Amino acid sequence: MYIKKILWAIAIIGLIVAAYFANFVYKAMLKPNTAFNNEEAYIYIASTDTYDDVRTQLEPLLNDIDSFDDLAERKQYVNYVKPGKYAIKKGMTNNDIINSIRSNNLQIRVSFNNQSTLERLAGRISKDIEADSVSILNAVRDKTFLEDNGFNEATALGMYLPNSYQFFWNTSAEEFRARMLKEYKRFWNASRIKKSQDIGLSSNQVIALASIVYEESKAASEQPRIAGVYMNRLRIGMPLQADPTLKFAAYKLPEYKNTVIKRVLNIHKEIESPYNTYKNRGLPPGLIAMPDISAIDAVLNYEKHKYLYFAADAKRFGFHKFAKTLAQHNVNAREYQRYLSSQGINK
């Protein structure tokens, strides 16, 4: 009789333990535990974050943070937090969430257009990845890195080709830089390298000229013709006389800070700068802005013609009139100058 009571007690305790365990399994592993109405929510785990930091992000997204804590501890996630961007889908269980934030680091799309400086590039990229703008700027300006890869301060911006790329959110500044170098080398394939050699320009010179072409015209259809004008000038030793380089030189001077030059004047042609292509023959030391890929390819595949001049077309905004002689160019230029004056654009 006494033994039967013991057996019954053991059985009851076993049932209680089993029920407790089953309840734990259900609550911790099988019961949906999301508290948001959207289909997905995202958390961003920084490289320096601890479990407490992750927990802080998760708490408003979950119905029962305590059950999540229990399972996270049992699965040892609390000691092995991994940085990245992670998705939590509506209706996920604690087990689903832990598996997701442990192994499903999402890639994000990072896009940048024609950034005018390394500072602007760093600021733009820092909005999308974990690395801040200061660390990115330091990385892309690093002299050792630049020298080892054939760049300098004037040409450094040319390594970054405006496009869309896939990155993990927790990408460091150095990882971003390394990826962009890889993309740059991929862009400069055997075909493009041969074309640059055939026209007698290095890749840095091609991009420097492409930046001028791009600043002259955003119309991809016209860029090869403009590139042809500059290649003709280079070939005969004529100064490039590119107005965008004057603006670039001017904006580096204190008196032009926070100004917009809408009309290039003779005073701008007197600026002492290696970027003044009215005073200095040949290409400037580096690019004046980040060109589109279309402008780079326009230089590599420039149009063969006899034009030496071009002026903005007052009747076709964004396009130009081309001339083979200075006399014809002066006619075209005066027409555009009259248009600027009629619009009250005097500087």
Side-chain angles (χ1 to χ4, degrees):
M1 190 71 175
Y2 179 71
I3 294 176
K4 286 183 178 181
K5 288 182 178 181
I6 293 175
L7 292 174
W8 273 107
I10 293 173
I12 292 171
I13 292 172
L15 289 172
I16 293 172
V17 171
Y20 173 81
F21 181 73
N23 183 62
F24 168 78
V25 169
Y26 175 70
K27 287 182 63 179
M29 300 186 68
L30 302 178
K31 183 181 180 181
N33 193 27
T34 54
F36 51 87
N37 293 321
N38 294 334
E39 290 302 313
E40 287 184 324
Y42 298 95
I43 64 170
Y44 295 82
I45 303 175
S47 299
T48 56
D49 279 354
T50 65
Y51 177 71
D52 286 341
D53 297 309
V54 177
R55 189 182 190 277
T56 298
Q57 290 194 63
L58 286 174
E59 190 166 8
L61 302 176
L62 305 184
N63 288 316
D64 184 357
I65 190 65
D66 292 332
S67 66
F68 182 85
D69 287 337
D70 290 340
L71 189 61
E73 187 169 349
R74 286 177 179 271
K75 298 190 73 169
Q76 299 186 336
Y77 174 76
V78 293
N79 298 317
Y80 297 99
V81 171
K82 295 184 178 181
K85 175 186 177 182
Y86 299 95
I88 300 172
K89 296 183 179 181
K90 183 179 179 180
M92 270 187 167
T93 66
N94 289 330
N95 193 56
D96 294 332
I97 295 169
I98 291 172
N99 288 340
S100 178
I101 64 179
R102 172 177 276 165
S103 59
N104 292 331
N105 190 5
L106 300 176
Q107 287 193 324
I108 60 175
R109 184 176 183 178
V110 177
S111 301
F112 58 90
N113 57 7
N114 311 84
Q115 305 300 305
S116 58
T117 64
L118 290 172
E119 290 86 352
R120 288 183 179 275
L121 175 66
R124 172 66 190 86
I125 300 303
S126 67
K127 294 178 180 179
D128 288 335
I129 65 174
E130 181 184 2
D132 60 45
S133 59
V134 174
S135 62
I136 295 173
L137 186 58
N138 288 337
V140 301
R141 276 181 166 173
D142 182 75
K143 289 185 177 180
T144 301
F145 171 82
L146 293 176
E147 290 173 0
D148 288 348
N149 292 286
F151 298 98
N152 56 40
E153 186 176 350
T155 61
L157 187 64
M159 197 187 90
Y160 303 91
L161 302 171
N163 212 329
S164 294
Y165 305 92
Q166 294 293 322
F167 283 94
F168 289 111
W169 175 78
N170 54 304
T171 297
S172 69
E174 291 73 20
E175 289 169 337
F176 167 75
R177 181 185 67 186
R179 168 68 183 285
M180 289 295 93
L181 177 61
K182 183 178 179 180
E183 295 293 338
Y184 176 86
K185 290 181 176 179
R186 180 181 293 138
F187 175 81
W188 282 101
N189 54 30
S191 175
R192 286 193 174 97
I193 290 174
K194 184 178 185 306
K195 288 178 179 179
S196 70
Q197 293 171 341
D198 289 344
I199 65 176
L201 300 178
S202 69
S203 56
N204 282 332
Q205 289 174 321
V206 169
I207 292 179
L209 182 52
S211 71
I212 298 173
V213 171
Y214 181 75
E215 289 301 295
E216 291 282 16
S217 177
K218 304 302 187 289
S221 62
E222 194 182 60
Q223 288 170 351
R225 179 164 291 190
I226 291 176
V229 170
Y230 286 127
M231 290 300 295
N232 287 344
R233 291 180 180 180
L234 287 173
R235 188 179 64 255
I236 65 175
M238 176 182 173
L240 292 184
Q241 297 180 340
D243 288 354
T245 65
L246 296 184
K247 293 181 180 181
F248 180 83
Y251 290 144
K252 289 184 173 293
L253 301 176
E255 57 264 41
Y256 290 97
K257 187 177 181 181
N258 298 323
T259 64
V260 177
I261 299 173
K262 295 182 178 180
R263 186 171 185 171
V264 172
L265 306 172
N266 287 331
I267 190 174
H268 300 130
K269 298 176 184 178
E270 298 304 318
I271 294 173
E272 291 296 335
S273 167
Y275 289 90
N276 184 338
T277 56
Y278 278 79
K279 284 194 169 189
N280 302 287
R281 296 179 186 273
L283 291 164
L287 64 167
I288 59 172
M290 184 185 291
D292 265 0
I293 290 174
S294 65
I296 300 173
D297 283 335
V299 172
L300 293 173
N301 303 280
Y302 70 89
E303 183 180 317
K304 310 301 192 294
H305 54 61
K306 294 184 179 180
Y307 296 122
L308 283 174
Y309 307 95
F310 63 94
D313 190 338
K315 296 180 180 178
R316 297 178 67 216
F317 184 76
F319 290 86
H320 297 80
K321 288 186 175 182
F322 294 82
K324 297 176 183 177
T325 66
L326 181 58
Q328 182 58 53
H329 170 66
N330 287 338
V331 172
N332 296 337
R334 282 194 292 270
E335 181 182 350
Y336 186 66
Q337 295 299 325
R338 286 194 296 270
Y339 165 76
L340 292 179
S341 298
S342 71
Q343 299 299 308
I345 301 174
N346 299 310
K347 61 179 180 178

